[in-house]
Amino acid sequence: DMMKLWIHECQRVFQDRLINEQDRTDFTALLKTKLLDHFHKEWTTVVEIEPILFGDFVPMPSREDPSKMIKDEYQELVDRQLLTNKCNEYLEDYNNMNKNTMNLVLFMTAIEHIVKIIRIIQSPYGHALLVGVGGSGRKSLTYLAASIADFNVHELEITKNFQLSDWKDAIRRLLLQSGIEGVPNVFVFSDTQITKPFFLEDVNNILNNGEVANLMEQDDMDHIYESLESEVASLKHKANPQRAEVYDFFVERCKQNCHVVLCLSPIGDEFRKRLRMFPSLVNCTTIDWFLPWPAQGLRSVAEHFLQDVELDQEYFAGIVDICVEMHESVNTLTELFFHELRRHYYVTPTSYLELINTFKRVLGERRTEVRGQIKRYENGVDKLEKSFEEVLVMQQYLEELKPQLKRSKEKTNELMIDLKDKKKEADHEKEKTK
């Protein structure tokens, strides 16, 4: 277990900073070599399940007695099905407790990121830099990880009228809650919220020093002293501690309880500029790169979002395969595009979700159109059948009228004969009178 923990920590500290799968594969090969050189163990004899994940938020069966579950202990998460079920339970609890629900598909790569984020924010002075393109799930997984770790989440709502005073008030409330009340907080801040350059400067100070210079007013300083004086006095074993000592204690508490999670995109030059201008964004954070979703994740997402579409099983599996193949083929073409023209073209998870939603929308429109045509055809057929039935009724009625018409014709003929006879008689009488 110690060797697994060493491998795990090496992967979290070093491998998670690497920006592509090739570099990560090379790092794993280096780990295998070092494991054999220094521990004299083969990788396959030590690592049973990959990726290696450690955490304390899911009870795991004991090695000695599998029927016994070990709780609240930092251990390897070996039962992946139990881990997946627990994460889905936490997600359901989060959706039940919050207005803004999250419709997430927790495939293994997403769960791996959740485990990494929980490890970071539970570490002393732990801050995270989540790097990935938009729609990769950075903020959603952070919200879920903070909920699992039972941390409060703070995120600013940037509006058109958001001013410097609003920013300072928000940061002040965050630090006061972390330092005075001792509440563990996660401050989520994304690149789309960086509307003013001083935002990152203050975040850089929080990462580096645990405070923002000249942020607290005199009333805030008095509140800090009054709230923490007795606690500092008991820790220092002296009455009436100095204000500087109380404030240092407050700052130390802020460092312990305020965890910053930065969600930045590597697209464009702004990312590099920000890291050069504010080095604490890298030096004081644990980096986690959100690489493109694997095929298994793409398949899980497609199956989840297509499950409400009426499809036969054979067609359902084929459509899922087509969605995965289309997305991966476009990713392959973007790599070729970069090698030939030295220009990046990013295919984000949002694009994949748009592909699925577009398919559902077009399928729904076509089905509505076809069903409308079928309805009109059925209505036409019904009218034809009704007309045919009416014609049959009229024919039957006419057949029934034929004997009556025949008798009427015979009576008419007899009447005509009688009229002719009477006319002859009348003509004869007329001749006589002449």
Side-chain angles (χ1 to χ4, degrees):
D1 287 344
M2 283 299 299
M3 284 184 280
K4 287 183 181 179
L5 183 59
W6 174 78
I7 294 171
H8 174 262
E9 294 306 310
C10 287
Q11 290 177 332
R12 299 291 77 79
V13 175
F14 302 111
Q15 190 181 53
D16 288 349
R17 290 175 173 263
L18 305 178
I19 64 174
N20 56 52
E21 289 292 349
Q22 184 59 47
D23 290 347
R24 296 189 177 198
T25 302
D26 294 341
F27 182 82
T28 302
L30 178 62
L31 272 182
K32 292 178 180 179
T33 303
K34 297 300 180 183
L35 185 67
L36 185 61
D37 292 343
H38 297 283
F39 295 98
H40 309 291
K41 292 284 188 180
E42 291 287 345
W43 180 272
T44 54
T45 61
V46 177
V47 179
E48 301 170 356
I49 303 175
E50 293 189 67
I52 300 176
L53 298 176
F54 276 76
D56 61 356
F57 63 96
V58 178
M60 284 290 151
S62 171
R63 291 181 179 272
E64 293 77 14
D65 184 7
S67 61
K68 182 181 178 181
M69 305 298 288
I70 301 176
K71 299 181 180 180
D72 301 327
E73 182 176 309
Y74 194 69
Q75 58 187 322
E76 185 184 6
L77 305 175
V78 291
D79 192 338
R80 295 304 163 84
Q81 187 58 49
L82 177 60
L83 173 62
T84 303
N85 294 339
K86 278 292 181 181
C87 288
N88 282 306
E89 289 179 11
Y90 284 122
L91 176 61
E92 185 177 356
D93 292 340
Y94 177 88
N95 289 334
N96 291 334
M97 297 293 292
N98 294 273
K99 293 181 180 179
N100 298 326
T101 60
M102 298 186 296
N103 187 14
L104 302 180
V105 182
L106 298 180
F107 49 89
M108 188 47 61
T109 302
I111 293 174
E112 185 179 354
H113 286 298
I114 292 173
V115 175
K116 292 177 183 178
I117 296 170
I118 291 175
R119 172 186 172 276
I120 294 170
I121 63 178
Q122 286 183 337
S123 302
Y125 316 125
H127 307 290
L129 173 59
L130 310 183
V131 185
V133 295
S136 54
R138 297 163 300 171
K139 290 173 65 174
S140 299
L141 296 182
T142 299
Y143 271 85
L144 181 57
S147 176
I148 294 173
D150 200 18
F151 283 28
N152 290 339
V153 178
H154 293 260
E155 184 179 8
L156 300 179
E157 185 177 348
I158 307 296
T159 61
K160 291 182 179 180
N161 300 323
F162 195 83
Q163 302 295 329
L164 173 61
S165 58
D166 301 321
W167 167 262
K168 287 188 174 182
D169 289 341
I171 299 300
R172 188 183 296 113
R173 286 194 301 270
L174 171 67
L175 295 179
L176 289 175
Q177 188 180 55
S178 301
I180 295 179
E181 301 176 19
V183 177
N185 293 297
V186 173
F187 177 52
V188 181
F189 192 61
S190 66
D191 47 8
T192 58
Q193 297 173 318
I194 307 175
T195 57
K196 306 290 183 182
F198 57 80
F199 288 1
L200 271 184
E201 184 177 353
D202 289 347
V203 171
N204 184 76
N205 290 330
I206 294 175
L207 293 173
N208 199 23
N209 306 317
E211 62 171 335
V212 178
N214 303 320
L215 176 67
M216 299 298 174
E217 304 288 344
Q218 186 59 44
D219 293 341
D220 300 319
M221 298 296 289
D222 294 338
H223 179 52
I224 291 171
Y225 184 78
E226 292 171 1
S227 302
L228 300 178
E229 178 187 10
S230 59
E231 191 171 350
V232 174
S234 62
L235 289 173
K236 299 288 185 179
H237 301 291
K238 67 175 184 179
N240 301 321
Q242 297 181 0
R243 297 180 73 90
E245 292 178 324
V246 175
Y247 187 73
D248 290 342
F249 177 78
F250 167 78
V251 172
E252 183 63 25
R253 247 193 180 178
C254 288
K255 290 180 180 179
Q256 294 176 357
N257 293 319
C258 182
H259 304 273
V260 178
V261 177
L262 298 170
C263 303
L264 302 182
S265 172
I267 300 175
D269 295 330
E270 286 296 323
F271 180 66
R272 289 188 292 272
K273 291 179 181 178
R274 289 163 180 165
L275 297 188
R276 285 196 298 265
M277 291 176 61
F278 305 105
S280 293
L281 299 183
V282 174
N283 299 335
C284 300
T285 61
T286 301
I287 300 175
D288 182 17
W289 276 81
F290 280 63
L291 298 180
W293 288 351
Q296 178 262 338
L298 296 172
R299 189 174 301 278
S300 299
V301 171
E303 290 174 350
H304 175 78
F305 286 102
L306 291 174
Q307 63 183 357
D308 58 342
V309 181
E310 296 181 10
L311 291 170
D312 294 336
Q313 190 59 39
E314 54 178 332
Y315 298 128
F316 182 85
I319 290 170
V320 170
D321 291 339
I322 289 174
C323 290
V324 175
E325 178 63 26
M326 288 177 67
H327 190 76
E328 290 188 327
S329 62
V330 174
N331 275 330
T332 303
L333 289 175
T334 58
E335 295 177 4
L336 180 63
F337 184 73
F338 174 74
H339 290 310
E340 291 184 355
L341 300 178
R342 309 306 298 174
R343 292 177 60 186
H344 284 288
Y345 183 84
Y346 293 94
V347 182
T348 65
T350 303
S351 305
Y352 184 64
L353 296 178
E354 288 178 356
L355 167 66
I356 297 174
N357 290 328
T358 300
F359 168 76
K360 293 171 66 176
R361 176 176 57 79
V362 173
L363 178 63
E365 291 174 355
R366 292 294 179 268
R367 281 183 168 176
T368 301
E369 180 181 347
V370 171
R371 284 170 180 164
Q373 292 177 349
I374 292 174
K375 186 68 175 178
R376 288 194 295 272
Y377 176 78
E378 289 176 345
N379 290 337
V381 171
D382 290 341
K383 289 180 179 180
L384 288 174
E385 291 179 349
K386 186 176 180 181
S387 300
F388 181 71
E389 291 175 356
E390 291 177 352
V391 169
L392 290 178
V393 171
M394 292 177 65
Q395 286 180 343
Q396 183 178 1
Y397 178 70
L398 291 174
E399 289 292 333
E400 293 175 353
L401 288 179
K402 276 184 178 181
Q404 299 179 12
L405 291 172
K406 187 178 181 180
R407 288 195 297 271
S408 298
K409 186 178 180 180
E410 290 176 353
K411 289 182 179 180
T412 302
N413 291 332
E414 291 176 358
L415 182 60
M416 291 295 294
I417 293 171
D418 185 51
L419 287 174
K420 287 180 179 180
D421 293 341
K422 289 183 177 181
K423 184 179 179 184
K424 288 180 180 180
E425 291 178 0
D427 290 340
H428 182 68
E429 292 293 332
K430 186 178 179 181
E431 288 295 331
K432 284 184 179 180
T433 55
K434 288 182 179 180

